């Protein structure tokens, strides 16, 4: 009997021993957190998007495509899409360019043993440490069109008339995008700085001996050597910018009119202002599909490079 009990207990011990040595046991808490806080709410949002639910009738009246039809039939939806892609495109391009320039400048300064490189990196990281709501308030103060507006005061010194940064629809979107560029440049700088450090220095030295200029070394050695880092940086910037809400809300609130209303703000407006839960969830699902499309594009490009 004792031998039989040992035979029945031993397989269980082996199972837990193998589980503890593998990744399943260690990933289980993370998977549980993802299910509770991400997957279950995501499924609920997708389910709600196929109803005509409202804040007063959260369950709706069964399955329907009415919420998606209302989204695409909305005359303002085309403008929201344009605003979103302009905001994302402008932000991502200039976040990458400024982050790349700062990363190259810091790396070049370090190679020459110049002082102040640590301070430069620290200053660049300040915008990343500030919450998005605070950034929106800071830039609203900078853009103020009264006598206390810092930017308009500086422009008046040079004889330039006051600019309606946020109250004019023609300039509000550009002003909001510039504020977001300042916010996201730090993340680009961090990733690209790490990428620059991975480039083979021997190749750069050999190219210098062969007489290659700095631009040729940048184009033919540095950028190809950190291509995967660049792709990851661009993808993260795209996803972060598509989901930017905390900065725009205190800065413009989507106005004037709808000139700065991106898809995330449209979700907020539909659910909490118009109380249309189904339509708001439908916009959220469309935003999710756009993010997934960019992620799939990244994996396809990355797989092509590895092949």
């Amino acid at each position: 009997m004792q031998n039989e009990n040992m035979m029945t207990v031993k397989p269980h011990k082996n199972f837990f021993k193998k589980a503890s040595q593998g990744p399943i046991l260690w990933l289980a808490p993370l998977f549980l957190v993802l299910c509770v806080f991400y997957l279950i709410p995501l499924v609920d949002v997708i389910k709600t998007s196929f109803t005509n639910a409202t804040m007063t009738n959260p369950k709706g009246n069964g399955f329907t495509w009415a919420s998606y039809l209302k989204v695409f039939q909305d005359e303002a939806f085309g403008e929201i899409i344009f605003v979103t892609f302009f905001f994302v495109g402008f932000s991502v391009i200039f976040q990458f360019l400024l982050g790349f320039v700062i990363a190259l400048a810091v790396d070049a300064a370090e190679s020459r043993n110049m002082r102040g490189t640590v301070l430069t990196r620290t200053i660049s990281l300040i915008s990343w440490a500030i919450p998005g709501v605070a950034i929106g308030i800071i830039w609203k103060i900078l853009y103020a069109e009264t006598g206390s507006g810092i930017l308009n005061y500086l422009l008046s010194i040079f004889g330039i008339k006051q600019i309606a940064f946020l109250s004019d629809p023609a300039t509000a979107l550009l002003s909001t995008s510039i504020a977001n560029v300042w916010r996201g440049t730090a993340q680009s700088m961090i990733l690209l700085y790490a990428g620059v450090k991975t480039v083979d220095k021997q190749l750069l030295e050999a190219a210098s001996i062969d007489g290659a200029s700095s631009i040729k070394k940048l184009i033919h050695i540095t950028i190809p050597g950190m291509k995967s880092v660049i792709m990851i940086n661009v993808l993260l910037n795209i996803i972060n910018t598509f989901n930017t809400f905390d900065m725009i809300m205190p800065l413009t609130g989507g106005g004037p009119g709808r000139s700065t209303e991106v898809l995330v703000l449209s979700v907020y407006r539909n659910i909490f202002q118009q109380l249309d839960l189904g339509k708001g969830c439908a916009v959220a699902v469309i935003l999710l599909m756009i993010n997934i499309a960019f992620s799939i594009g990244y994996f396809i490009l990355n797989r092509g490079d590895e092949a």
Side-chain angles (χ1 to χ4, degrees):
M1 290 293 294
Q2 186 175 0
N3 291 334
E4 291 180 0
N5 290 334
M6 291 178 64
M7 291 293 291
T8 55
V9 173
K10 191 174 181 180
H12 295 288
K13 288 184 177 180
N14 292 334
F15 172 78
F16 286 110
K17 184 178 180 180
K18 291 181 180 179
S20 63
Q21 293 175 348
I24 297 176
L25 186 63
W26 304 104
L27 292 177
L30 175 61
F31 180 74
L32 181 63
V33 171
L34 288 175
C35 288
V36 173
F37 294 102
Y38 290 95
L39 294 181
I40 294 176
L42 176 62
V43 171
D44 190 54
V45 167
I46 294 173
K47 182 182 69 175
T48 306
S49 70
F50 290 101
T51 67
N52 58 354
T54 63
M55 294 296 284
T56 57
N57 182 22
K59 294 184 179 180
N61 299 318
F63 176 85
T64 177
W65 292 90
S67 295
Y68 286 95
L69 291 176
K70 283 193 289 184
V71 171
F72 291 108
Q73 290 173 355
D74 189 350
E75 295 180 355
F77 185 68
E79 181 183 354
I80 293 172
I81 291 292
F82 169 78
V83 168
T84 301
F85 276 89
F86 177 90
F87 178 72
V88 172
F90 185 94
S91 298
V92 171
I93 290 172
F94 285 97
Q95 284 171 3
F96 170 77
L97 292 177
L98 290 175
F100 199 23
V101 169
I102 296 172
L104 291 174
V106 171
D107 180 65
E110 288 179 343
S111 64
R112 292 172 173 80
N113 295 320
M114 296 176 64
R115 296 181 178 179
T117 55
V118 176
L119 179 62
T120 302
R121 284 186 310 208
T122 304
I123 293 174
S124 300
L125 289 173
I126 290 176
S127 61
W128 201 25
I130 301 175
V133 174
I135 291 175
I137 295 172
I138 290 170
W139 278 88
K140 191 168 187 177
I141 295 172
L142 291 173
Y143 284 140
E145 296 162 24
T146 61
S148 61
I150 297 174
L151 291 179
N152 272 315
Y153 172 75
L154 294 175
L155 292 175
S156 66
I157 296 175
F158 299 97
I160 301 175
K161 294 182 179 180
Q162 179 176 297
I163 298 176
F165 288 107
L166 300 178
S167 61
D168 187 352
T171 57
L173 179 57
L174 180 61
S175 301
T176 306
S177 301
I178 291 172
N180 193 59
V181 168
W182 181 83
R183 178 192 189 185
T185 297
Q187 176 179 286
S188 291
M189 187 276 292
I190 295 169
L191 292 175
L192 295 173
Y193 174 78
V196 169
K197 288 298 183 181
T198 62
V199 177
D200 193 344
K201 301 299 181 183
Q202 294 181 350
L203 289 176
L204 294 173
E205 292 175 0
S208 299
I209 294 173
D210 292 338
S213 63
S214 298
I215 296 177
K216 288 185 177 180
K217 287 190 290 183
L218 177 65
I219 295 174
H220 297 290
I221 298 177
T222 303
I223 293 178
M226 53 185 295
K227 188 174 181 180
S228 60
V229 177
I230 292 174
M231 291 175 62
I232 292 173
N233 174 59
V234 171
L235 176 66
L236 290 176
N237 284 346
I238 288 174
I239 293 175
N240 289 338
T241 308
F242 263 113
N243 295 283
T244 298
F245 173 84
D246 52 355
M247 187 205 71
I248 301 178
M249 193 63 188
L251 184 60
T252 64
R258 288 189 164 182
S259 59
T260 60
E261 183 178 335
V262 294
L263 282 171
V264 178
L265 281 176
S266 179
V267 175
Y268 173 83
R269 185 190 292 269
N270 281 296
I271 293 177
F272 295 103
Q273 293 182 356
Q274 299 178 0
L275 306 182
D276 195 336
L277 190 58
K279 185 180 178 182
C281 289
V283 177
V285 171
I286 293 171
L287 179 60
L288 173 65
M289 293 298 104
I290 294 173
N291 286 324
I292 291 176
F294 279 105
S295 301
I296 292 173
Y298 162 75
F299 285 114
I300 292 173
L301 292 174
N302 193 44
R303 181 176 296 180
D305 291 337
E306 290 178 355

